[in-house]
Amino acid sequence: FLGGLAKIILNLTLIPNPSIGIYGAPIGSIACQSIAFFVSFYVLRKNLTFKLDFKKYFIKPLFSSALMGICVYFIYEFTSQYLGKISTLLSIGLGVIIYFAAILKLKVFSEEELKSIPIVGRFIKN
């Protein structure tokens, strides 16, 4: 509710602003999702019997996302000159691989958690 309310307020105030315009919509969406995440994380952390690690479930995925975004940007910028529209698909595909590699390298998931994912579990040795 709080995230949705923030999105409505931000959209109504930012989008009509000429200096921000349509960019107010993604700002509102990011604020909405951030508020929803932090409220949910707080409630889960307060009510669960085991401890949720903020670094593991927030900082490491955030870093992986930022790394992926930067790499996708540069991959697209470099390949769009040569490959045209295919560079979009290429940069998205490589972005998925980069994100997954970063998540694995930072050990966000345990081996047991990875094995529980149907497609990924097939590639993990017992």
Side-chain angles (χ1 to χ4, degrees):
F1 174 77
L2 293 175
L5 183 63
K7 180 171 176 50
I8 291 169
I9 291 169
L10 286 171
N11 282 354
L12 291 175
T13 56
L14 295 178
I15 293 172
N17 184 332
S19 64
I20 298 172
I22 195 67
Y23 296 110
I27 293 169
S29 293
I30 291 169
C32 169
Q33 298 302 322
S34 298
I35 291 168
F37 167 79
F38 285 111
V39 169
S40 298
F41 195 85
Y42 171 78
V43 170
L44 284 171
R45 201 169 191 184
K46 183 177 175 185
N47 293 308
L48 290 176
T49 56
F50 61 92
K51 187 176 189 255
L52 286 175
D53 184 11
F54 187 76
K55 181 180 174 186
K56 178 180 179 179
Y57 294 109
F58 181 72
I59 300 297
K60 289 181 178 182
L62 180 65
F63 176 78
S64 299
S65 298
L67 177 66
M68 176 198 64
I70 291 166
C71 290
V72 165
Y73 173 79
F74 285 111
I75 291 167
Y76 177 79
E77 287 298 314
F78 177 73
T79 60
S80 64
Q81 307 167 45
Y82 308 106
L83 301 175
K85 293 179 182 179
I86 295 173
S87 62
T88 302
L89 293 174
L90 177 66
S91 58
I92 290 170
L94 290 174
V96 169
I97 293 167
I98 290 166
Y99 180 79
F100 190 68
I103 288 291
L104 290 177
K105 185 71 175 169
L106 293 172
K107 297 184 179 170
V108 173
F109 298 109
S110 68
E111 188 174 324
E112 183 180 310
E113 290 171 323
L114 289 171
K115 285 180 181 178
S116 70
I117 302 170
I119 295 172
V120 178
R122 295 180 196 166
F123 297 102
I124 298 175
K125 297 176 185 176
N126 289 325

